[in-house]
Amino acid sequence: MKTIKKHKKKVLGLLLIALIAYYFSLPGQLFNMPVSTVLFDKNGELLGAKIAGDGQWRFPHNDTVPDKFCEAIIAYEDKRFESHWGIDIWAILRAIKLNAQQGRKVSGGSTISMQTLRMSRLNPNRTIFEKIKEAILATRLEWSYSKTEILAFYASNAPFGGNVVGLDAAAWKYFARSPKQLSWAESAMLAVLPNSPSLIHLSRNRSKLLKKRNWLLDKLYTNGKMDSITCALAKLESLPRKPKPLPRICPHLLEKVHREWVLKKKSNGLIRSTVDANIQQQVNDILDRHYQVLKSNEIYNAAALVIEVETGNVMAYAGNIPHAAKEHSPAVDIITAPRSSGSILKPFLYASMLHDGEMTPQTLFPDIPSHFGSYTPKNYDESYSGAVKANQVITKSLNIPSVHMLKKYGMMRFADKLRNLGMTTLKNSAKHYGLTLILGGAETSLWDLGAMYSGMSRNLKNCYDYDGLYDKNNFRKLNFILDKSQGKLTGEAKVVLQKNTHLKASAIWHTFEAMQEVVRPNEEVFWKSFPSAHKVAWKTGTSFGFRDAWAVGCTPQYVVAVWAGNADGEGRPGLVGVHAAAPILFDIFNVLNPGRDWFDQPFDEEEKMEVCRHSGHLASEYCTETEVLFQPSVTRKSKICPYHKQINLSPDKNYRVHSDCESPMNMTHENYFVLPPTQSWYYRKKHPDYRTLPDFRSDCIANINNSRRSSVAIVYPQNNMKIYIPTNLDESKSRTVFEAKHSNVTAKLFWHLDNEYVGQTQELHYMELNPPEGHHIITVVDEEGISITRKFEIIEGAKS
């Protein structure tokens, strides 16, 4: 006693040190092993998982343990778990007794808390010293964590055979379901496994495993956790024969979340996505089915994206054909890959021009052979209509009128619009892309297209929700994360109301109306005849060289985006949007079954306006036929009809006259729809009712003024054009085809090169010439002496 009193301070100091050591004996993070990246759908169905860095199937920590497994593991491993402080003296005494009786170690007396500590310390050798250390740490564990938390640590890190670690991984590997869906028999089997190293292979010692499981079921019945019938039925359940492969329903999204969330430490590895597993599987099946057809044309890849309009949530993410042959790169995620856009951007230009009041949906645009510097676009069918209405440009996906529309709207203006709508791949200046921007000169991705088209759909769908205002965040990134515990949602955004928007609802509505009229592939041609047919606004696109086929469809509920082609960029004949991608699109819509619900027309943003029936412009005083249509209010500032003109005719109305050859008192007047000569020449082929202007009376021709020259036009070349002429392999020079048009279909044209006559043409005005290198002048004269000239330069190139 005197010694203790003498060294009281030392004893207290040692005790304090011991307490401090005890306090800090437990690490701040119990488990620091690598974990799998695990992807679930919105309902908790497993979509896929990536194995952990150490080769184990170890799912991230789950702080919830299902009741059945909880009861089973406590009954089997630690029946006084709820009452002890980390160590169970009675269990230790019982273990000592059993080991003495058997003459070998058959029981360790470890509690669940002690086993949890041993697993966190990577299972050191089982010595008396380690057992004492575990006991001390177990009491410290009980001091810091609740029983529920300790049980969750155990369940998430216990070994379940082979490279399966943790209850979550075991439930999916052995029973293909989540732990909370396990039966009593399944829960009991998994409770037995961590304590039975000899049972780690389900194909061995099955009778021993079955005996242990059934013993535990009987014990649970004795403890009152189940009735006798439930116990008997549970014993009848068979054991799994081997671990099952984990689902791979959405492998490309799994890689995306691993790369963008797990590796960047935004998530612990457990991702709850917005994907619907049922829809995802059906989309996968559709891609696999179409793969059997596409591969016959050596087309080996396809991708599809399904988006819920209201939320912007991704419901299906199929980055490639699931079961394509390995040599065709099925692992490549096409959804995020930039690819040539083809015609898929045309609806955005159409909507932008409506939004800014540049036209009406019926406004005419040229559809004639056109040259824009060195750029010469062609329609897909290489035919021309002379002039077409803007909505027909979308419906028929015409290239030449689209380029004329872009030229009118402005390349820089359109590029800025696309960026504002969410096109992230447009990284260069508008000048870099030029007019090819509207026909595939730029790259886009299914991911961007899905966001842009769903933004349009959302802006239109919500047009009556905010009393004429718009939610600034209607155009936003897509969202694929559901669980808010993972951090801020990728698509999460508060409603921010404002008067202005990138595309008004009225512009979008007319755009979708035009897209709805596109003729569907195969048997869908007469879809309007069937009451159950789905109403879809859709558009296809095909890139130059037949390398990319696109299809996007919009309804009030869903946006579906599809791509088909080859991941390596190889083009194939017939790889066009309407044949390769559109059938996949409509098969997906058949699964989604959106029905015939449609967007409300935004009348608050529209007015009734008188429109010229022929030109589509706002009607002028000379328009002969008009119709009153609802148009976006901003259309009021668009151009009135420039094509209807009042024409002076002779008293018998058979000839045109002018004041130099006929008294104004004797003239009659009629209003004519007059297109420019080249447009007129093609237009009347498709419109037999088009009235051409009468000829001038013979006595009026001599005094005709220069405006008559408009009846003849040179289509190619344009003025001051540089024409590159390649040298053929036989050293000969390629010839150049010059083209002209006349308003009179029967007119003869006389051709002159550098003031020398070279020939004449009638009806089809093409002249093949081979001018030498240098500057030249081509002159075309009609029978009435009206002439037109063009300057051009020939530049000889290398061998072709």
Side-chain angles (χ1 to χ4, degrees):
M1 186 64 70
K2 289 182 180 180
T3 303
I4 295 175
K5 288 181 179 181
K6 182 178 179 180
H7 299 286
K8 182 177 180 179
K9 289 185 179 180
K10 291 182 178 180
V11 171
L12 291 174
L14 290 173
L15 183 59
L16 180 61
I17 292 172
L19 288 173
I20 292 173
Y22 178 73
Y23 180 83
F24 288 104
S25 62
L26 202 64
Q29 185 176 352
L30 279 181
F31 294 91
N32 194 29
M33 279 77 80
V35 296
S36 302
T37 297
V38 186
L39 182 66
F40 291 97
D41 88 332
K42 65 178 185 178
N43 299 313
E45 289 295 315
L46 183 64
L47 296 173
K50 284 179 67 71
I51 200 165
D54 59 355
Q56 305 294 307
W57 287 112
R58 183 188 296 106
F59 284 19
H61 177 75
N62 187 346
D63 57 9
T64 302
V65 182
D67 291 341
K68 289 177 182 176
F69 181 80
C70 183
E71 297 292 349
I73 197 66
I74 290 174
Y76 190 76
E77 290 285 357
D78 190 357
K79 63 182 179 180
R80 283 177 285 272
F81 174 73
E82 297 289 352
S83 59
H84 64 61
W85 286 7
I87 56 175
D88 187 347
I89 300 299
W90 298 109
I92 292 174
L93 294 175
R94 175 177 171 275
I96 293 172
K97 180 181 178 181
L98 283 174
N99 293 340
Q101 289 175 347
Q102 297 291 330
R104 59 189 178 90
K105 187 176 181 180
V106 295
S107 176
S110 294
T111 62
I112 289 176
S113 301
M114 294 171 68
Q115 292 181 53
T116 301
L117 260 302
R118 184 165 61 249
M119 289 186 294
S120 74
R121 298 171 61 233
L122 303 180
N123 298 306
N125 295 329
R126 297 189 179 187
T127 63
I128 296 295
F129 175 75
E130 287 296 336
K131 183 69 70 173
I132 293 172
K133 185 185 292 186
E134 282 175 12
I136 295 171
L137 290 175
T139 61
R140 179 67 183 84
L141 183 70
E142 295 273 347
W143 182 23
S144 296
Y145 297 97
S146 68
K147 293 290 186 179
T148 301
E149 291 173 322
I150 294 171
L151 201 58
F153 280 127
Y154 175 88
S156 292
N157 294 278
F160 285 90
N163 65 343
V164 180
V165 178
L167 176 63
D168 288 57
W172 284 104
K173 287 290 287 183
Y174 294 132
F175 302 109
R177 60 176 67 95
S178 69
K180 64 182 180 182
Q181 296 173 317
L182 296 178
S183 67
W184 276 113
E186 292 164 346
S187 298
M189 192 207 86
L190 292 181
V192 168
L193 279 180
N195 193 255
S196 304
S198 61
L199 304 179
I200 59 174
H201 294 289
L202 296 179
S203 59
R204 307 172 190 170
N205 300 319
R206 293 179 60 79
S207 59
K208 185 176 180 181
L209 176 60
L210 184 64
K211 183 178 179 181
K212 283 180 173 289
R213 185 202 70 176
N214 290 345
W215 175 88
L216 179 54
L217 289 171
D218 285 333
K219 188 171 184 179
L220 290 168
Y221 164 63
T222 302
N223 292 345
K225 302 303 179 182
M226 67 177 75
D227 56 40
S228 59
I229 295 177
T230 301
C231 182
L233 291 174
K235 289 181 181 180
L236 294 177
E237 291 186 31
S238 61
L239 298 174
R241 293 208 164 267
K242 61 179 181 179
K244 304 175 186 297
L246 292 177
R248 284 186 55 81
I249 301 174
C250 203
H252 301 93
L253 184 59
L254 174 64
E255 291 294 335
K256 182 178 177 69
V257 298
H258 179 72
R259 182 176 62 252
E260 296 181 4
W261 284 74
V262 178
L263 295 183
K264 293 183 179 180
K265 308 299 183 183
K266 295 181 182 179
S267 169
N268 66 352
L270 195 66
I271 305 291
R272 183 85 172 269
S273 75
T274 60
V275 169
D276 184 310
N278 181 48
I279 294 175
Q280 177 72 40
Q281 186 60 64
Q282 292 184 81
V283 170
N284 288 348
D285 293 342
I286 289 170
L287 290 179
D288 276 333
R289 188 165 66 249
H290 281 273
Y291 172 64
Q292 304 307 317
V293 178
L294 293 172
K295 70 179 182 180
S296 65
N297 190 27
E298 298 182 24
I299 301 169
Y300 300 113
N301 304 101
L305 193 62
V306 179
I307 303 144
E308 185 179 53
V309 168
E310 186 64 33
T311 61
N313 290 342
V314 174
M315 301 186 68
Y317 187 108
N320 213 320
I321 294 173
H323 298 108
K326 289 185 178 180
E327 61 267 26
H328 300 138
S329 307
V332 174
D333 185 357
I334 300 295
I335 286 177
T336 57
R339 310 286 300 203
S340 174
S341 62
S343 299
I344 205 68
L345 301 178
K346 287 177 182 176
F348 297 111
L349 175 60
Y350 180 85
S352 297
M353 295 187 74
L354 290 175
H355 172 87
D356 292 327
E358 301 279 344
M359 65 179 191
T360 74
Q362 299 81 23
T363 297
L364 285 180
F365 284 91
D367 183 24
I368 57 176
S370 302
H371 309 277
F372 303 90
S374 60
Y375 180 47
T376 305
K378 300 287 185 183
N379 289 331
Y380 176 72
D381 60 1
E382 297 189 0
S383 68
Y384 310 97
S385 299
V388 293
K389 294 184 176 181
N391 51 18
Q392 291 296 305
V393 175
I394 298 300
T395 301
K396 298 179 179 179
S397 194
L398 299 172
N399 292 339
I400 293 174
S402 297
V403 178
H404 281 280
M405 291 170 70
L406 178 57
K407 185 177 181 182
K408 179 180 179 180
Y409 189 73
M411 294 178 295
M412 184 178 298
R413 202 169 156 202
F414 184 52
D416 288 342
K417 179 75 73 173
L418 290 174
R419 293 187 185 100
N420 289 332
L421 293 175
M423 190 167 167
T424 63
T425 54
L426 206 63
K427 299 185 181 301
N428 296 310
S429 67
K431 185 178 180 180
H432 171 84
Y433 301 109
L435 293 173
T436 66
L437 176 59
I438 197 61
L439 299 182
E443 293 181 327
T444 187
S445 67
L446 275 183
W447 190 250
D448 281 359
L449 287 176
M452 295 162 73
Y453 276 102
S454 62
M456 289 177 74
S457 301
R458 199 158 37 245
N459 232 25
L460 177 55
K461 184 176 182 180
N462 298 337
C463 67
Y464 284 112
D465 292 350
Y466 306 120
D467 296 325
L469 300 178
Y470 287 93
D471 181 1
K472 178 182 178 181
N473 295 309
N474 274 345
F475 289 96
R476 61 177 183 263
K477 294 180 180 179
L478 299 178
N479 173 48
F480 55 92
I481 302 296
L482 182 67
D483 189 353
K484 291 187 178 181
S485 68
Q486 305 296 337
K488 184 178 180 181
L489 301 184
T490 57
E492 187 177 39
K494 294 180 180 179
V495 174
V496 179
L497 297 181
Q498 58 184 27
K499 185 176 182 179
N500 297 321
T501 184
H502 299 308
L503 290 175
K504 284 186 173 291
S506 55
I508 298 169
W509 191 85
H510 285 283
T511 302
F512 283 2
E513 285 295 289
M515 291 169 64
Q516 201 186 160
E517 296 300 318
V518 178
V519 177
R520 302 186 181 189
N522 303 326
E523 70 276 10
E524 294 284 344
V525 171
F526 303 105
W527 66 274
K528 290 183 180 180
S529 303
F530 302 94
S532 62
H534 311 305
K535 232 177 172 184
V536 180
W538 70 291
K539 182 72 182 73
T540 61
T542 305
S543 68
F544 179 78
F546 303 104
R547 293 181 174 88
D548 305 276
W550 303 90
V552 177
C554 306
T555 72
Q557 298 84 27
Y558 308 107
V559 166
V560 177
V562 175
W563 175 93
N566 288 311
D568 61 4
E570 180 185 358
R572 294 296 306 162
L575 178 57
V576 295
V578 72
H579 298 310
I584 298 174
L585 178 88
F586 283 103
D587 278 357
I588 293 174
F589 272 117
N590 286 336
V591 167
L592 297 173
N593 192 25
R596 295 184 65 83
D597 290 340
W598 199 238
F599 301 94
D600 294 328
Q601 186 169 355
F603 291 109
D604 289 352
E605 293 182 0
E606 297 189 332
E607 298 178 28
K608 285 185 176 180
M609 300 181 193
E610 189 177 13
V611 176
C612 177
R613 190 184 295 274
H614 293 105
S615 72
H617 286 273
L618 296 181
S620 72
E621 59 180 314
Y622 301 119
C623 289
T624 54
E625 297 180 56
T626 63
E627 52 189 337
V628 176
L629 302 172
F630 276 103
Q631 304 285 352
S633 299
V634 70
T635 305
R636 284 286 182 199
K637 69 179 185 179
S638 68
K639 190 176 182 181
I640 64 170
C641 178
Y643 299 118
H644 275 88
K645 301 175 182 178
Q646 190 175 71
I647 305 299
N648 300 324
L649 301 176
S650 61
D652 59 7
K653 298 184 179 181
N654 291 328
Y655 298 97
R656 275 186 289 167
V657 295
H658 51 76
S659 58
D660 290 339
C661 61
E662 183 64 70
S663 170
M665 299 295 292
N666 297 329
M667 293 180 187
T668 59
H669 309 285
E670 282 193 13
N671 297 334
Y672 270 75
F673 173 52
V674 183
L675 290 171
T678 308
Q679 293 183 41
S680 172
W681 193 85
Y682 287 102
Y683 187 84
R684 63 180 171 231
K685 289 185 176 182
K686 300 285 183 73
H687 301 82
D689 57 340
Y690 177 76
R691 291 199 306 165
T692 58
L693 290 173
D695 290 333
F696 276 94
R697 202 169 60 191
S698 59
D699 60 325
C700 299
I701 294 177
N703 298 320
I704 193 169
N705 59 40
N706 289 334
S707 64
R708 179 70 176 91
R709 296 177 183 273
S710 63
S711 61
V712 62
I714 294 179
V715 178
Y716 185 86
Q718 291 185 328
N719 204 31
N720 296 316
M721 176 179 279
K722 293 181 179 180
I723 302 175
Y724 293 84
I725 304 298
T727 301
N728 299 319
L729 293 176
D730 61 359
E731 301 298 333
S732 65
K733 305 295 181 183
S734 296
R735 298 176 72 82
T736 302
V737 178
F738 297 82
E739 182 180 358
K741 292 291 178 277
H742 197 282
S743 59
N744 184 354
V745 69
T746 63
K748 291 182 181 179
L749 294 183
F750 304 91
W751 297 75
H752 301 75
L753 179 64
D754 299 328
N755 295 320
E756 291 188 10
Y757 176 73
V758 292
Q760 72 176 44
T761 56
Q762 187 171 8
E763 293 188 358
L764 296 177
H765 301 292
Y766 297 95
M767 181 61 66
E768 188 177 278
L769 300 172
N770 191 11
E773 188 173 16
H775 294 273
H776 301 277
I777 298 176
I778 188 77
T779 304
V780 178
V781 185
D782 72 1
E783 294 171 289
E784 297 177 356
I786 308 303
S787 66
I788 187 169
T789 62
R790 290 283 186 270
K791 295 180 180 179
F792 64 95
E793 181 182 1
I794 294 292
I795 299 175
E796 294 184 358
K799 293 182 180 179
S800 61

